[in-house]
Amino acid sequence: MSAQKRLTTLFSRYAVVIIFVIITLIAIPPSGLSIKYIVQEIITRLGRNSFLVLALLLPIYAGMGLNFGMTLGAMAGQIGLIFAVNYGIANWQGLVFALLVGLPVAVLLGWICGLVMNRAKGREMVTGYILAFFINGIYQFFVMYMLGSVIPIRNRAIVLSRGYGIRNTLNLESVRQSLDNIVMLRVGGYTIPLVTFIIIALLCVFVVWFKKTKLGQDM
């Protein structure tokens, strides 16, 4: 294969990435941002966005669509964070608490989603849309009406003025960058959130291992 053909194949395969990189490089000088700042932001956002990518992989493997499975998981995670803020659990302990609360909810929602999807083969996209809206309705009912009325809330700062229901926005400063701040590795003036990348690497290994299991191959 000639060099020109290899370049053509490479560009056609990675056209989106190449165009994005070119546009980004062109936009750096007019932005007025320093290279150090941009590299540091790339490192920070790489860790943050990697979790989103990993959260999308298994739902895609399972045929649940690009975003619908992650929507259910996000709702479960938000419920966990609400209770973490309510009980005043901060830092990485707050994230672990949110995980322990949200994981059973996510498993339940995933099980329900799987039951529905198995009955909607060939119509997964539309079914995923409707399912996400349906679960969102239940989530809104739970958060806006049950919390504070049926389920007691200690932290009144997160409750609506009517006395029940959770505010639309919560202050998550107590758990912000809690994983990143556990161990910060400083290399050449840049800070690398070591624990965050270790967890991402472990999750990547889990996804690869899971795909090799019988359940993963059946998805």
Side-chain angles (χ1 to χ4, degrees):
M1 184 183 294
S2 64
Q4 183 178 358
K5 192 171 183 179
R6 282 199 297 268
L7 287 175
T8 303
T9 303
L10 180 67
F11 183 81
S12 61
R13 181 176 297 179
Y14 303 106
V16 175
V17 177
I18 294 173
I19 293 173
F20 175 78
V21 171
I22 292 174
I23 294 175
T24 302
L25 293 175
I26 294 173
I28 288 176
S31 70
L33 301 174
S34 65
I35 298 298
K36 182 178 180 180
Y37 174 82
I38 293 174
V39 172
Q40 183 61 62
E41 285 297 305
I42 290 174
I43 294 172
T44 302
R45 295 173 189 275
L46 179 64
R48 183 189 310 166
N49 295 336
S50 295
F51 283 105
L52 296 178
V53 173
L54 289 169
L56 282 168
L57 285 180
L58 292 181
I60 291 174
Y61 289 148
M64 295 167 62
L66 288 174
N67 297 309
F68 315 123
M70 190 175 71
T71 302
L72 305 182
M75 293 177 191
Q78 288 172 3
I79 290 174
L81 284 172
I82 288 172
F83 281 102
V85 173
N86 177 49
Y87 292 116
I89 306 175
N91 302 321
W92 64 268
Q93 295 92 334
L95 283 184
V96 173
F97 179 81
L99 174 66
L100 295 176
V101 173
L103 187 59
V105 179
V107 170
L108 175 63
L109 294 179
W111 178 69
I112 294 173
C113 184
L115 290 179
V116 175
M117 287 296 184
N118 285 335
R119 296 174 179 270
K121 292 181 179 179
R123 301 183 299 275
E124 288 88 350
M125 187 66 72
V126 175
T127 304
Y129 264 121
I130 301 303
L131 183 62
F133 282 119
F134 173 73
I135 298 297
N136 182 58
I138 297 176
Y139 169 80
Q140 294 291 342
F141 173 75
F142 176 79
V143 172
M144 300 300 292
Y145 292 96
M146 293 189 66
L147 292 181
S149 58
V150 179
I151 301 174
I153 297 296
R154 294 182 183 178
N155 188 351
R156 305 309 297 178
I158 67 175
V159 179
L160 292 170
S161 58
R162 65 188 182 188
Y164 61 90
I166 303 300
R167 296 180 181 274
N168 290 332
T169 56
L170 297 182
N171 184 2
L172 298 179
E173 191 67 30
S174 58
V175 295
R176 182 176 180 268
Q177 293 184 325
S178 53
L179 278 182
D180 295 349
N181 294 331
I182 294 177
V183 178
M184 278 290 194
L185 184 64
R186 301 189 180 277
V187 179
Y190 300 103
T191 56
I192 301 174
L194 189 60
V195 174
T196 300
F197 284 111
I198 289 175
I199 293 176
I200 290 170
L202 292 175
L203 290 174
C204 290
V205 172
F206 169 77
V207 171
V208 173
W209 168 81
F210 183 76
K211 282 295 294 178
K212 294 180 179 179
T213 63
K214 184 179 184 304
L215 179 60
Q217 293 175 356
D218 290 340
M219 291 173 62

